[in-house]
Amino acid sequence: EDKVVQSPLSLVVHEGDTVTLNCSYEVTNFRSLLWYKQEKKAPTFLFMLTSSGIEKKSGRLSSILDKKELFSILNITATQTGDSAIYLCAVAGAKGAQKLVFGQGTRLTINP
Amino acid sequence: NAGVTQTPKFRILKIGQSMTLQCAQDMNHNYMYWYRQDPGMGLKLIYYSVGAGITDKGEVPNGYNVSRSTTEDFPLRLELAAPSQTSVYFCASSYYGEYEQYFGPGTRLTVT
C-alpha cells in the first residue's frame, strides 16, 4: 500500500526562523511529489518535483527531492506569520487516474 | 473562471439522513476527485472520475456514492449519514496528464 509520512506533525517557531519540513514515501512506480499549503480552506499548490536532486524555489520557499532515499524536504527561510498553515505532501504513483496519496500534514505556527 | 466550487459550505445532518454535496468546475478538467479530511489528518480519497460517465472507488468509499453525467459536475451522495462521516469534504480536479490538482473551498459536515 502506498504511504506518505510527514514530520514533524506540528512545529512552532518565531518569526524570522528557518524551518525544514520532511516528507518520506513508499509508492509503487513513483511519478511525482507535490507540496501544498493549506490555510483556512482549500489546499493551494506550491511545488511539484519529479527529478531527484533538483531544487524548486519560489521566494523564501524551496524544496528538493531524493528519489534514492525516498524523501523530500520543504524549506522556508525568514519565516513570516503568513507562513502559518498546514503543509501537505502528496505523491503520485503509477496506479492511474493521476491519483495522489497525501501525508498527514505538518501544522506550522509562526509566532511574532 | 470560478475554478472549483462546492456547496454547501456547512451542513449539520442527523444520523440516518441523506444529502448530496455539490461540486462543479469550469476549467474543462477531465479528472475529478472527492476527498475527506479528518482533524489532524491528511486527505483521503473517497471517489474519483476520469471523465463523464466513468467513476471509481478511492481509499474510503464506504457510505458514499457518486455520479458524473457531465464534465463539469461531480456530486457526492451520502445515503445514511453516520457520525463517522463528520469531516471536511474537498472536491478537486485536474487536467489529463497533469498531477497538479485544483481544490474547492470545502464543505464542513457534522453528523449528530
Side-chain angles (χ1 to χ4, degrees), chain A residues 77-101:
Chain A
T77 59
T79 52
Q80 302 170 357
T81 55
D83 295 326
S84 294
I86 296 172
Y87 290 83
L88 295 166
C89 173
V91 174
K95 288 192 176 176
Q98 299 161 192
K99 289 183 285 184
L100 298 178
V101 177

Side-chain angles (χ1 to χ4, degrees), chain A residues 4-107:
Chain A
V4 177
V5 177
Q6 293 185 243
S7 64
L9 294 180
S10 181
L11 186 57
V12 181
V13 300
H14 290 294
E15 205 167 18
D17 288 351
T18 292
V19 297
T20 298
L21 310 183
N22 303 293
C23 175
S24 63
Y25 62 89
E26 295 172 26
V27 66
T28 305
N29 292 332
F30 172 90
R31 292 284 194 260
S32 291
L33 185 144
L34 295 85
W35 284 97
Y36 282 85
K37 178 181 182 181
Q38 185 179 21
E39 294 175 88
K40 292 204 189 306
K41 292 186 178 178
T44 54
F45 174 76
L46 292 174
F47 298 114
M48 183 168 73
L49 303 115
T50 54
S51 298
S52 198
I54 293 176
E55 184 180 15
K56 289 277 182 93
K57 207 168 160 72
S58 175
R60 297 175 294 102
L61 277 68
S62 63
S63 182
I64 196 159
L65 172 68
D66 187 328
K67 282 171 76 173
K68 185 179 174 188
E69 300 297 332
L70 308 182
F71 77 90
S72 173
I73 61 170
L74 176 68
N75 252 23
I76 309 175
T77 59
T79 52
Q80 302 170 357
T81 55
D83 295 326
S84 294
I86 296 172
Y87 290 83
L88 295 166
C89 173
V91 174
K95 288 192 176 176
Q98 299 161 192
K99 289 183 285 184
L100 298 178
V101 177
F102 282 83
Q104 326 91 297
T106 294
R107 181 179 292 276

Side-chain angles (χ1 to χ4, degrees), chain A residues 1 31-32 34 36 38 41-43 45 48 88 92 97-100 102-104, chain B residues 31 33 35 37 41-43 45 48 90 94-101 103-104:
Chain A
E1 184 182 320
R31 292 284 194 260
S32 291
L34 295 85
Y36 282 85
Q38 185 179 21
K41 292 186 178 178
F45 174 76
M48 183 168 73
L88 295 166
Q98 299 161 192
K99 289 183 285 184
L100 298 178
F102 282 83
Q104 326 91 297
Chain B
Y31 291 1
Y33 311 85
Y35 294 93
Q37 185 177 35
M41 304 293 286
L43 301 168
L45 183 64
Y48 65 96
F90 289 101
S94 66
Y95 286 111
Y96 171 75
E98 294 187 9
Y99 291 105
E100 180 186 347
Q101 294 181 13
F103 285 82

Side-chain angles (χ1 to χ4, degrees), chain B:
Chain B
N1 282 358
V4 181
T5 57
Q6 291 183 239
T7 55
K9 288 189 172 59
F10 305 95
R11 184 73 187 266
I12 298 174
L13 279 183
K14 289 192 171 19
I15 293 170
Q17 286 184 322
S18 301
M19 78 163 293
T20 299
L21 281 66
Q22 300 291 345
C23 173
Q25 52 90 12
D26 62 359
M27 297 174 281
N28 207 28
H29 285 171
N30 305 90
Y31 291 1
M32 295 187 75
Y33 311 85
W34 272 106
Y35 294 93
R36 60 177 286 171
Q37 185 177 35
D38 299 327
M41 304 293 286
L43 301 168
K44 300 281 186 190
L45 183 64
I46 305 171
Y47 269 95
Y48 65 96
S49 168
V50 301
I54 307 169
T55 62
D56 207 347
K57 295 177 181 177
E59 191 182 354
V60 289
N62 290 347
Y64 307 95
N65 270 306
V66 294
S67 59
R68 183 118 181 252
S69 55
T70 66
T71 300
E72 294 78 21
D73 300 297
F74 190 39
L76 177 73
R77 177 97 181 142
L78 282 71
E79 289 295 348
L80 289 168
S84 60
Q85 293 177 305
T86 294
S87 192
V88 180
Y89 291 84
F90 289 101
C91 179
S93 67
S94 66
Y95 286 111
Y96 171 75
E98 294 187 9
Y99 291 105
E100 180 186 347
Q101 294 181 13
Y102 297 76
F103 285 82
T107 295
R108 184 174 295 274
L109 176 67
T110 303
V111 182
T112 62

